[in-house]
Amino acid sequence: MEIITGRLTKDAEIRKTKNGRELVAFTLVVNDSYKPKNGDRQDISNFYSCSYWLSTNICKALTKGSIVSVFGHVGLNAYETRNHEFRASLTFHCNTIKIIAKAKSETEYVMAEAVPNGNTKDDLPF
């Protein structure tokens, strides 16, 4: 099982498969940097297409700019385009999502933690 921690690039959305199953789809970006011995700092951004199949309730809590940790496994999505070109991409199938910080505005974050029913601790009545 792998763990990825990153920031949501846009609000999560609920999608349906051809057979009617619902999933929560979102993209995480993980920013990193390094400085080679003889050069300037290099910034790297890796984007991960994520899917969560267990419940769609968490979709409302996954908003642009929020920081989350996802636990799951990498999968391969292979397909053929309309022009008959073969393409492939890696997806991350999440088993668990932990919300580390929810974005309230561009500069303000509130700490929260996801619980199994898809709510966050700040949504609970107690």
Side-chain angles (χ1 to χ4, degrees):
M1 183 173 293
E2 288 83 18
I3 301 170
I4 297 174
T5 300
R7 188 178 303 274
L8 271 78
T9 60
K10 63 180 183 175
D11 291 352
E13 60 186 31
I14 297 173
R15 294 186 185 161
K16 283 190 176 185
T17 63
K18 291 179 183 177
N19 63 3
R21 279 188 71 192
E22 290 186 326
L23 67 122
V24 178
F26 56 97
T27 302
L28 286 182
V29 61
V30 177
N31 296 312
D32 199 3
S33 65
Y34 68 94
K35 185 174 180 180
K37 289 183 180 179
N38 300 333
D40 295 330
R41 181 178 144 172
Q42 301 292 317
D43 294 320
I44 302 169
S45 296
N46 292 311
F47 293 85
Y48 298 89
S49 296
C50 301
S51 59
Y52 183 70
W53 296 81
L54 301 178
S55 172
T56 58
N57 292 338
I58 197 166
C59 187
K60 295 175 195 170
L62 298 175
T63 56
K64 179 179 179 176
S66 295
I67 300 170
V68 299
S69 286
V70 291
F71 306 83
H73 64 277
V74 176
L76 178 65
N77 182 23
Y79 59 96
E80 184 177 359
T81 66
R82 291 183 181 152
N83 297 332
H84 303 292
E85 297 172 344
F86 290 98
R87 303 280 170 104
S89 64
L90 294 175
T91 58
F92 194 84
H93 298 283
C94 307
N95 295 332
T96 305
I97 300 172
K98 182 176 180 180
I99 299 171
I100 297 171
K102 290 175 64 173
K104 278 191 156 183
S105 68
E106 289 186 20
T107 58
E108 187 179 354
Y109 293 92
V110 62
M111 299 306 287
E113 183 177 328
V115 292
N117 65 0
N119 294 325
T120 59
K121 281 188 179 178
D122 58 338
D123 294 336
L124 298 176
F126 44 85

